[in-house]
Amino acid sequence: MPTPKLRTPAPSAPARPERRTAAVRTVTYIVFTLLLGGTVPTPMYSLYAQRLALTPVVVSAVFAAFAVGALCALMLFGSLSDQIGRRATIAPAVCLALASCVVFACFHTLPGIIAGRLLTGLSVGLANGAATAYLGELFQDRGRAALTSSVANMLGLGTGALLSGVLVQYLSAPLTLSYLVLGALLLPGLGLLLMPETVRREGPARFRPQRLGVPAQMRTVFTAMAVAVFGSFALLGLLAALAGKFLVSGLHITSHLMVGVVAFCAFSSAAAAQLVGARLAPRVGSVAGMVAVPVGLGLFVAALPAASLALFLVGSVIGGAGSGLAFRAGLAMVSHQAPPDRVGQVVSSYFASAYLGLTVPVLGIGVMVMELPLLTSALVFAVIISLLAALSITVTVATRPRAAA
């Protein structure tokens, strides 16, 4: 389907600096709180497994439902904000996230938690590409927008697991309270409705479904970045979905809080690495990230026979930092080179690669840990992700950077 002709970014961001600043803060807050929902259930997976008799592969499937929801939103609505506007796309995403909190809090059953994860994924998939494009138009700087969006993503994912870990470990109603708190945190995001729109429309807004896509002139570099983010998110997905399994079976640690701490270490180090590496050229950042991810995985695997929590945490930090570098670099590169009228579509395609990384490998290792020893499963996972990292590095180094679109 051709790109709609009537939906183009306005020539300038809001005229008044105070309105622009308020809009930037609101959109960043929305991204952060939406991503909280991605990992709030992480410390609860062991409780769900005990109460509902769930196997590791079912737990992995529950986690992956988030990515499935995000992928569905991206495939159906990846370019929606380019057509109807940023604000009109992000506001419904906040409402979907609120609905997911209600479902999680009220239905402690397998269908209930799967439905909650799907709604969470739909909300994130609907909002992420639109929010990144919106920030680019507010900042009038796509690189700064990519950094802000990616850091908010990682901080949200890390904070969600830590917040939930504390609430589950120390307060009552462990399967309800975290979602009530999350719902309360989401409500201020509806203030987006007061923010200015940055996409000019001629005539009434209309929804035209448009599949994900990448312009031909940037497919090689997009492929390298997509492989990198796929491998990076596979590591983060492993920690978010099965950290409890590895802590209990490999390190004999049963603390719900520690599950949240592990996820927080990985995601917060990813956010910190993005800030520290912000001055790196995207190609350099991607290569550095793809070197760090296999190193982190190696330490992660080594921690299991040694029963070393310290080594496990260090591996999570290094792997998370590598993931953050690769994610930021890829997002900066693809958003920078996308044509102005296809930014939402290209960025959504990039996020689709990330969510595939959250889905496929995590399901695979969920199956492996039922059939193979835990150490063997972790080793196979590490080898596969290391091969993907090597492939990404090879393509990135061999590709000459293009000028921005």
Side-chain angles (χ1 to χ4, degrees):
M1 179 176 294
T3 302
K5 297 180 180 180
L6 301 181
R7 275 61 173 173
T8 57
S12 62
R16 289 184 293 172
E18 62 272 17
R19 292 198 70 198
R20 184 165 62 247
T21 299
V24 166
R25 290 175 177 172
T26 301
V27 176
T28 304
Y29 178 80
I30 288 172
V31 173
F32 173 78
T33 51
L34 288 178
L35 269 296
L36 286 175
T39 53
V40 159
T42 294
M44 304 181 211
Y45 286 137
S46 60
L47 293 176
Y48 286 129
Q50 292 170 8
R51 297 190 182 191
L52 303 176
L54 306 181
T55 63
V57 70
V58 175
V59 172
S60 298
V62 169
F63 173 81
F66 165 78
V68 171
L71 283 169
C72 289
L74 290 168
M75 287 187 289
L76 289 173
F77 310 113
S79 61
L80 180 62
S81 73
D82 294 332
Q83 301 175 40
I84 70 170
R86 313 305 184 197
R87 193 178 59 186
T89 303
I90 300 172
V94 177
C95 295
L96 284 173
L98 287 167
S100 76
C101 292
V102 173
V103 171
F104 272 123
C106 296
F107 302 101
H108 303 154
T109 62
L110 181 57
I113 59 178
I114 289 177
R117 291 294 286 171
L118 284 170
L119 287 171
T120 303
L122 285 169
S123 69
V124 171
L126 186 61
N128 244 335
T132 303
Y134 196 5
L135 288 171
E137 291 148 8
L138 292 168
F139 282 130
Q140 298 181 311
D141 181 342
R142 293 190 195 177
R144 188 179 178 190
L147 177 62
T148 302
S149 176
S150 57
V151 169
N153 268 265
M154 294 301 178
L155 282 178
L157 289 167
T159 305
L162 183 62
L163 173 65
S164 178
V166 171
L167 296 176
V168 171
Q169 186 73 32
Y170 296 113
L171 298 179
S172 58
L175 298 181
T176 303
L177 181 60
S178 296
Y179 301 114
L180 297 180
V181 172
L182 175 59
L185 292 173
L186 284 165
L187 286 174
L190 294 176
L192 177 78
L193 297 173
L194 303 176
M195 297 298 107
E197 180 56 76
T198 56
V199 172
R200 179 194 297 148
R201 297 191 304 269
E202 297 179 13
R206 292 179 297 170
F207 167 54
R208 298 180 181 179
Q210 183 174 359
R211 61 194 177 103
L212 297 177
V214 179
Q217 67 270 24
M218 60 177 296
R219 283 177 186 166
T220 300
V221 68
F222 182 89
T223 298
M225 298 301 100
V227 170
V229 79
F230 180 94
S232 300
F233 270 55
L235 167 64
L236 296 175
L238 172 69
L239 293 174
L242 294 174
K245 172 68 175 177
F246 280 86
L247 287 174
V248 172
S249 301
L251 306 181
H252 313 294
I253 296 172
T254 59
S255 168
H256 300 295
L257 175 59
M258 189 53 63
V259 175
V261 168
V262 169
F264 178 77
C265 285
F267 287 107
S268 62
S269 66
Q274 292 174 70
L275 292 172
V276 172
R279 295 184 180 274
L280 294 177
R283 295 172 78 245
V284 175
S286 179
V287 170
M290 286 294 92
V291 170
V293 166
V295 172
L297 278 170
L299 295 174
F300 175 85
V301 173
L304 297 177
S308 171
L309 177 60
L311 200 58
F312 192 89
L313 290 174
V314 171
S316 300
V317 168
I318 293 176
S323 299
L325 282 173
F327 177 60
R328 187 210 71 85
L331 183 58
M333 189 173 293
V334 301
S335 63
H336 193 58
Q337 295 192 7
D341 61 341
R342 296 186 66 181
V343 176
Q345 183 187 35
V346 172
V347 169
S348 294
S349 299
Y350 179 76
F351 278 112
S353 303
Y355 295 131
L356 280 172
L358 282 177
T359 308
V360 179
V362 171
L363 286 173
I365 198 167
V367 173
M368 281 194 293
V369 296
M370 294 184 64
E371 304 294 335
L372 300 172
L374 191 66
L375 179 59
T376 303
S377 300
L379 184 59
V380 171
F381 181 89
V383 169
I384 293 173
I385 300 304
S386 297
L387 290 174
L388 289 175
L391 174 62
S392 176
I393 290 172
T394 301
V395 176
T396 301
V397 171
T399 303
R400 298 184 65 178
R402 294 177 59 254

